[in-house]
Amino acid sequence: MKKIHSIVLVTLSWLLLSGTAAHASSNGTAHARYPIKDSTLTDNDLYYTSELESSNCREKPIKRNNVASAKRYVTAILDCLNRSWGAHFEDRGLPFEKARVAFITKPRRYCGNSWGDAAAMYCGKENRFTVLLNKTALDDPFDLFLFDTTAHEYGHHIQNLMEITSAYEEHAFKNKSELYEQSRRHELQAECLAGVFIGSVWDSLSRNTADWKEMLALDRQSGDEGSKIRSHGKGRNIAAWLDRGFKAASPEACNTWAASSAKVA
């Protein structure tokens, strides 16, 4: 039984997935126990790095259904992410590598996985994520969706650098319920880390409170309630973890691995 890693972000009424395949599975004897006690997950050095320093990050102009402007938009945000998180890691003596981005306009295999319904996919072995810029993604690109998508993918890059992803992939599970809960902890943490970055640069954006409330409303519509595969979380929890990271602007707020099951449902 393989563990599947996928990222979900939903805007308006459509689902956008991104992710990679993980490798670990339960061996039939080493079952996961709750609460999770793996210190790489629950007591990671990341949680003790304090607030992300406030910095400037200007959004590039973007046009509806225009791939070139979307590429410039996402690339500019990635530059901000690399600069901000790079300084954060360097100041605290943590190893750091920049993330890279690539773009496609039609789905294709990436990092050894079929694309499926993904909007973006992060590949840990490449330190890179690929964004699908199709009509669905570009029809209404003016809200914070692309910003949050980029920051969320970068959250998985941070997890990869801090060995959270490898610990998650290797953590045993005894049934689908435990498997999906672990996936939700991983995905919600990436969303929280997206909020940390957005909070740290918010004052430099030409945005207001209404924009943030709209982003949270979109997240609340994005849950996997009613799905047989409960791997990403209820909409209210996705929004709650994003807002938690935003308000704290610190990875300390993003320890989903020690949270109660209700918080990651």
Side-chain angles (χ1 to χ4, degrees):
M1 185 176 189
K2 292 185 177 180
K3 179 178 285 185
I4 302 299
H5 161 215
S6 58
I7 306 162
V8 66
L9 290 171
V10 182
T11 185
L12 302 179
S13 62
W14 44 277
L15 187 65
L16 295 167
L17 298 173
S18 66
T20 60
H23 309 289
S25 64
S26 172
N27 60 16
T29 56
H31 292 164
R33 296 181 180 179
Y34 286 84
I36 292 173
K37 296 182 179 180
D38 186 332
S39 61
T40 302
L41 299 173
T42 63
D43 197 35
N44 197 279
D45 288 344
L46 178 66
Y47 310 144
Y48 301 98
T49 59
S50 71
E51 292 184 15
L52 205 62
E53 193 75 24
S54 297
S55 60
N56 293 325
C57 187
R58 300 294 182 181
E59 294 178 87
K60 293 282 188 180
I62 190 168
K63 301 176 182 178
R64 180 179 282 114
N65 297 321
N66 186 287
V67 172
S69 68
K71 286 181 178 180
R72 290 192 292 269
Y73 181 91
V74 171
T75 300
I77 295 168
L78 177 60
D79 289 343
C80 295
L81 284 155
N82 276 325
R83 184 170 60 250
S84 181
W85 281 107
H88 189 74
F89 273 49
E90 182 180 358
D91 288 347
R92 288 148 185 83
L94 296 172
F96 178 79
E97 291 185 50
K98 290 183 178 180
R100 299 177 296 148
V101 66
F103 302 97
I104 56 175
T105 56
K106 295 181 180 179
R108 64 170 176 80
R109 288 186 65 82
Y110 178 60
C111 203
N113 303 301
S114 59
W115 192 268
D117 295 324
M121 296 179 70
Y122 176 75
C123 185
K125 63 185 179 183
E126 297 180 0
N127 287 325
R128 181 175 68 173
F129 59 93
T130 294
V131 180
L132 175 63
L133 298 177
N134 59 4
K135 189 178 186 304
T136 303
L138 299 179
D139 189 53
D140 185 14
F142 307 112
D143 58 31
L144 283 167
F145 172 74
L146 271 179
F147 201 111
D148 184 41
T149 299
T150 306
H152 180 105
E153 295 291 343
Y154 206 94
H156 284 287
H157 181 60
I158 296 300
Q159 289 173 315
N160 187 45
L161 293 177
M162 296 304 297
E163 300 183 350
I164 290 171
T165 296
S166 59
Y168 152 66
E169 291 176 349
E170 293 168 3
H171 200 77
F173 58 91
K174 65 182 179 182
N175 52 41
K176 287 185 178 180
S177 178
E178 286 189 359
L179 166 65
Y180 294 153
E181 182 174 312
Q182 289 172 27
S183 176
R184 293 194 299 271
R185 291 181 187 275
H186 195 247
E187 299 303 331
L188 292 169
Q189 182 173 61
E191 186 72 348
C192 181
L193 291 171
V196 168
F197 171 73
I198 297 171
S200 75
V201 300
W202 186 254
D203 289 343
S204 71
L205 304 179
S206 298
R207 298 286 185 171
N208 55 36
T209 302
D211 291 314
W212 186 244
K213 288 182 177 179
E214 180 184 11
M215 184 66 245
L216 295 177
L218 292 172
D219 259 8
R220 281 191 286 271
Q221 297 172 29
S222 71
D224 55 16
E225 294 95 328
S227 172
K228 292 182 179 180
I229 302 177
R230 293 291 327 287
S231 56
H232 301 97
K234 295 179 179 179
R236 67 171 182 268
N237 284 336
I238 297 172
W241 282 103
L242 177 66
D243 197 44
R244 181 184 174 106
F246 177 83
K247 290 176 177 176
S250 170
E252 180 184 9
C254 299
N255 188 356
T256 57
W257 299 98
S260 69
S261 293
K263 297 292 185 182
V264 297

